[in-house]
Amino acid sequence: DVGFYQFVALLKEPAGVGTHKEGMWDRELGQIVIEFKSSTVIARKYIFSFNIYNPGVLQAAPPIYIEISGLVSVTPVLMHTDVGNRAPMVIGGFTTRAVAQSTPSLSSANTITVTLISNIDYKVVFTPESPQTDVQDLFITISGLVGTSRASTPSMAITAVSASAVGLFR
């Protein structure tokens, strides 16, 4: 991509021969500082990327800011971010996770009802247009249901209780 290479050419070389262009990452502040070695051109689009590692816990997308410092300063300004699954730093999970039973009676049929609300769309469609945002396969495992007298089976009926669950399961 021409825009990518134009941007990379603007970055200051780090110390050492053959090293890559780099920014200074501060995990505690959640910020990267990138030093430019030359001027930008008005109205030219510069696109670049860097890799981070998502935390192991659910979180909503935080506000992301950009600022300029040096000879010219611009105070932090809220950036326009993507939404849904592509919102930066949104970590998927279930904001509501509840399970209940229909009866505590001995030797009785017992319906276990699960309620889940997620903070992202879990898509079970893979498209070439959005391979990073879609899930090819989606399985939910509910464990800890020990002590039942129901025999193991590869095919147990799942009943959609809410209208939103109709057609959700195979």
Side-chain angles (χ1 to χ4, degrees), residues 3-4 7-8 11 32 34 36 46-50 66 79:
F4 173 78
F7 179 81
V8 170
L11 301 180
I32 186 166
I34 304 166
F36 282 41
Y46 297 99
I47 301 171
F48 63 99
S49 65
F50 51 89
I66 188 167
M79 295 183 76

Side-chain angles (χ1 to χ4, degrees), residues 52-122:
I52 57 173
Y53 292 94
N54 289 339
V57 296
L58 173 135
Q59 73 180 25
I64 309 246
Y65 296 88
I66 188 167
E67 69 179 284
I68 298 172
S69 57
L71 293 176
V72 175
S73 292
V74 175
T75 58
V77 176
L78 187 63
M79 295 183 76
H80 298 284
T81 59
D82 223 329
V83 296
N85 294 5
R86 294 189 46 92
M89 299 305 303
V90 66
I91 308 303
F94 295 102
T95 57
T96 298
R97 305 168 302 276
V99 61
Q101 69 176 353
S102 61
T103 182
S105 299
L106 296 171
S107 301
S108 298
N110 189 4
T111 301
I112 303 296
T113 302
V114 176
T115 302
L116 298 173
I117 300 175
S118 68
N119 69 329
I120 67 167
D121 294 328
Y122 287 102

Side-chain angles (χ1 to χ4, degrees), residues 25-41:
W25 172 250
D26 185 318
R27 179 177 172 232
E28 297 304 315
L29 294 176
Q31 72 180 22
I32 186 166
V33 177
I34 304 166
E35 185 177 0
F36 282 41
K37 70 175 185 180
S38 61
S39 302
T40 61
V41 176

